[in-house]
mmCIF file of all heavy atoms in Angstrom:
data_model
loop_
_atom_site.group_PDB
_atom_site.id
_atom_site.type_symbol
_atom_site.label_atom_id
_atom_site.label_comp_id
_atom_site.label_asym_id
_atom_site.label_seq_id
_atom_site.Cartn_x
_atom_site.Cartn_y
_atom_site.Cartn_z
ATOM 1 N N THR A 1 127.072 143.534 -57.226
ATOM 2 C CA THR A 1 125.653 143.531 -57.446
ATOM 3 C C THR A 1 124.896 144.760 -57.180
ATOM 4 O O THR A 1 123.859 144.990 -57.620
ATOM 5 C CB THR A 1 125.031 142.441 -56.462
ATOM 6 O OG1 THR A 1 125.418 142.759 -55.159
ATOM 7 C CG2 THR A 1 125.487 140.952 -56.839
ATOM 8 N N THR A 2 125.694 145.784 -56.560
ATOM 9 C CA THR A 2 125.044 147.012 -56.296
ATOM 10 C C THR A 2 125.530 148.062 -57.257
ATOM 11 O O THR A 2 125.114 149.314 -57.204
ATOM 12 C CB THR A 2 125.341 147.492 -54.909
ATOM 13 O OG1 THR A 2 126.798 147.648 -54.788
ATOM 14 C CG2 THR A 2 124.845 146.521 -53.916
ATOM 15 N N GLU A 3 126.435 147.822 -58.203
ATOM 16 C CA GLU A 3 126.997 148.798 -59.064
ATOM 17 C C GLU A 3 126.194 148.773 -60.381
ATOM 18 O O GLU A 3 125.829 147.715 -60.961
ATOM 19 C CB GLU A 3 128.387 148.446 -59.509
ATOM 20 C CG GLU A 3 129.341 148.669 -58.333
ATOM 21 C CD GLU A 3 129.473 150.031 -57.772
ATOM 22 O OE1 GLU A 3 129.665 150.953 -58.772
ATOM 23 O OE2 GLU A 3 129.348 150.366 -56.624
ATOM 24 N N PRO A 4 125.947 149.965 -60.930
ATOM 25 C CA PRO A 4 125.311 150.065 -62.269
ATOM 26 C C PRO A 4 126.277 149.544 -63.393
ATOM 27 O O PRO A 4 127.424 149.509 -63.180
ATOM 28 C CB PRO A 4 124.942 151.456 -62.470
ATOM 29 C CG PRO A 4 125.935 152.164 -61.559
ATOM 30 C CD PRO A 4 126.171 151.221 -60.406
ATOM 31 N N PRO A 5 125.665 149.233 -64.460
ATOM 32 C CA PRO A 5 126.648 148.737 -65.618
ATOM 33 C C PRO A 5 127.569 149.791 -65.974
ATOM 34 O O PRO A 5 127.191 150.998 -66.133
ATOM 35 C CB PRO A 5 125.576 148.450 -66.802
ATOM 36 C CG PRO A 5 124.252 148.247 -66.099
ATOM 37 C CD PRO A 5 124.241 149.094 -64.947
ATOM 38 N N VAL A 6 128.796 149.503 -66.360
ATOM 39 C CA VAL A 6 129.843 150.362 -66.697
ATOM 40 C C VAL A 6 129.894 150.557 -68.158
ATOM 41 O O VAL A 6 130.026 149.421 -68.897
ATOM 42 C CB VAL A 6 131.252 149.955 -66.076
ATOM 43 C CG1 VAL A 6 132.311 150.973 -66.605
ATOM 44 C CG2 VAL A 6 131.166 149.976 -64.585
ATOM 45 N N THR A 7 129.806 151.648 -68.673
ATOM 46 C CA THR A 7 129.980 151.914 -70.075
ATOM 47 C C THR A 7 131.075 152.843 -70.423
ATOM 48 O O THR A 7 131.695 153.499 -69.469
ATOM 49 C CB THR A 7 128.659 152.581 -70.660
ATOM 50 O OG1 THR A 7 128.526 153.888 -70.180
ATOM 51 C CG2 THR A 7 127.510 151.734 -70.426
ATOM 52 N N ALA A 8 131.583 152.894 -71.519
ATOM 53 C CA ALA A 8 132.627 153.830 -71.811
ATOM 54 C C ALA A 8 132.328 155.316 -71.416
ATOM 55 O O ALA A 8 133.199 155.893 -70.920
ATOM 56 C CB ALA A 8 133.117 153.813 -73.360
ATOM 57 N N ALA A 9 131.097 155.628 -71.746
ATOM 58 C CA ALA A 9 130.713 156.890 -71.341
ATOM 59 C C ALA A 9 130.623 157.276 -69.839
ATOM 60 O O ALA A 9 131.184 158.274 -69.370
ATOM 61 C CB ALA A 9 129.276 157.222 -72.014
ATOM 62 N N THR A 10 130.072 156.269 -69.117
ATOM 63 C CA THR A 10 130.092 156.587 -67.678
ATOM 64 C C THR A 10 131.427 156.491 -67.038
ATOM 65 O O THR A 10 131.784 157.186 -66.128
ATOM 66 C CB THR A 10 129.124 155.568 -67.062
ATOM 67 O OG1 THR A 10 129.591 154.214 -67.236
ATOM 68 C CG2 THR A 10 127.689 155.700 -67.449
ATOM 69 N N ALA A 11 132.258 155.528 -67.477
ATOM 70 C CA ALA A 11 133.617 155.430 -67.045
ATOM 71 C C ALA A 11 134.468 156.679 -67.298
ATOM 72 O O ALA A 11 135.220 157.213 -66.441
ATOM 73 C CB ALA A 11 134.367 154.173 -67.624
ATOM 74 N N THR A 12 134.293 157.261 -68.441
ATOM 75 C CA THR A 12 134.955 158.533 -68.942
ATOM 76 C C THR A 12 134.438 159.708 -67.996
ATOM 77 O O THR A 12 135.250 160.417 -67.496
ATOM 78 C CB THR A 12 134.586 158.872 -70.328
ATOM 79 O OG1 THR A 12 135.135 157.890 -71.179
ATOM 80 C CG2 THR A 12 135.157 160.145 -70.674
ATOM 81 N N ALA A 13 133.063 159.697 -67.652
ATOM 82 C CA ALA A 13 132.585 160.722 -66.780
ATOM 83 C C ALA A 13 133.176 160.597 -65.392
ATOM 84 O O ALA A 13 133.523 161.550 -64.706
ATOM 85 C CB ALA A 13 131.103 160.547 -66.703
ATOM 86 N N THR A 14 133.266 159.360 -64.864
ATOM 87 C CA THR A 14 133.907 159.021 -63.619
ATOM 88 C C THR A 14 135.186 159.451 -63.591
ATOM 89 O O THR A 14 135.723 160.147 -62.574
ATOM 90 C CB THR A 14 133.758 157.615 -63.209
ATOM 91 O OG1 THR A 14 132.439 157.146 -63.241
ATOM 92 C CG2 THR A 14 134.472 157.265 -61.875
ATOM 93 N N ALA A 15 136.178 159.169 -64.595
ATOM 94 C CA ALA A 15 137.550 159.523 -64.477
ATOM 95 C C ALA A 15 137.647 160.964 -64.539
ATOM 96 O O ALA A 15 138.587 161.554 -63.864
ATOM 97 C CB ALA A 15 138.243 158.874 -65.743
ATOM 98 N N THR A 16 136.840 161.676 -65.384
ATOM 99 C CA THR A 16 137.020 163.070 -65.497
ATOM 100 C C THR A 16 136.602 163.768 -64.229
ATOM 101 O O THR A 16 137.265 164.707 -63.811
ATOM 102 C CB THR A 16 136.171 163.615 -66.716
ATOM 103 O OG1 THR A 16 136.502 162.849 -67.874
ATOM 104 C CG2 THR A 16 136.239 165.037 -66.853
ATOM 105 N N ALA A 17 135.501 163.299 -63.689
ATOM 106 C CA ALA A 17 135.118 164.019 -62.397
ATOM 107 C C ALA A 17 136.199 163.757 -61.287
ATOM 108 O O ALA A 17 136.431 164.674 -60.495
ATOM 109 C CB ALA A 17 133.807 163.294 -61.828
ATOM 110 N N ALA A 18 136.685 162.528 -61.248
ATOM 111 C CA ALA A 18 137.690 162.264 -60.162
ATOM 112 C C ALA A 18 138.954 163.124 -60.376
ATOM 113 O O ALA A 18 139.738 163.350 -59.448
ATOM 114 C CB ALA A 18 138.079 160.848 -60.171
ATOM 115 N N ASN A 19 139.308 163.461 -61.597
ATOM 116 C CA ASN A 19 140.548 164.131 -61.928
ATOM 117 C C ASN A 19 140.308 165.640 -62.433
ATOM 118 O O ASN A 19 141.054 166.122 -63.050
ATOM 119 C CB ASN A 19 141.360 163.284 -62.868
ATOM 120 C CG ASN A 19 141.708 161.951 -62.273
ATOM 121 O OD1 ASN A 19 142.573 162.021 -61.360
ATOM 122 N ND2 ASN A 19 141.187 160.913 -62.849
ATOM 123 N N SER A 20 139.096 166.175 -62.130
ATOM 124 C CA SER A 20 138.793 167.399 -62.653
ATOM 125 C C SER A 20 139.790 168.541 -62.133
ATOM 126 O O SER A 20 139.994 169.515 -62.826
ATOM 127 C CB SER A 20 137.352 167.859 -62.276
ATOM 128 O OG SER A 20 137.227 167.909 -60.761
ATOM 129 N N ASP A 21 140.330 168.440 -60.883
ATOM 130 C CA ASP A 21 141.327 169.337 -60.386
ATOM 131 C C ASP A 21 142.634 169.273 -61.344
ATOM 132 O O ASP A 21 143.248 170.389 -61.515
ATOM 133 C CB ASP A 21 141.760 168.966 -58.979
ATOM 134 C CG ASP A 21 140.594 169.310 -58.015
ATOM 135 O OD1 ASP A 21 139.841 170.015 -58.248
ATOM 136 O OD2 ASP A 21 140.759 168.766 -56.847
ATOM 137 N N TYR A 22 142.883 168.225 -61.854
ATOM 138 C CA TYR A 22 144.108 168.102 -62.740
ATOM 139 C C TYR A 22 143.805 168.924 -64.110
ATOM 140 O O TYR A 22 144.781 169.191 -64.774
ATOM 141 C CB TYR A 22 144.514 166.720 -62.981
ATOM 142 C CG TYR A 22 144.994 166.086 -61.738
ATOM 143 C CD1 TYR A 22 144.260 165.180 -61.017
ATOM 144 C CD2 TYR A 22 146.282 166.417 -61.279
ATOM 145 C CE1 TYR A 22 144.689 164.513 -59.896
ATOM 146 C CE2 TYR A 22 146.794 165.771 -60.166
ATOM 147 C CZ TYR A 22 145.998 164.897 -59.422
ATOM 148 O OH TYR A 22 146.495 164.357 -58.249
ATOM 149 N N ASP A 23 142.609 168.926 -64.591
ATOM 150 C CA ASP A 23 142.256 169.809 -65.800
ATOM 151 C C ASP A 23 142.648 171.162 -65.721
ATOM 152 O O ASP A 23 143.081 171.861 -66.655
ATOM 153 C CB ASP A 23 140.833 169.577 -66.154
ATOM 154 C CG ASP A 23 140.440 168.177 -66.633
ATOM 155 O OD1 ASP A 23 141.419 167.451 -66.873
ATOM 156 O OD2 ASP A 23 139.261 167.940 -66.922
ATOM 157 N N SER A 24 142.581 171.731 -64.478
ATOM 158 C CA SER A 24 142.783 173.244 -64.293
ATOM 159 C C SER A 24 144.237 173.523 -63.944
ATOM 160 O O SER A 24 144.608 174.658 -63.843
ATOM 161 C CB SER A 24 141.798 173.762 -63.293
ATOM 162 O OG SER A 24 141.986 173.157 -62.061
#
């Protein structure tokens, strides 16, 4: 009930932010 709606775009942003260290 406290989470905003999950969309493909927001989930992609979340995954990318969480794993940004792996990009470099």
Side-chain angles (χ1 to χ4, degrees):
T1 56
T2 62
E3 292 294 312
V6 176
T7 66
T10 58
T12 295
T14 299
T16 303
N19 294 292
S20 60
D21 287 346
Y22 292 103
D23 285 357
S24 61

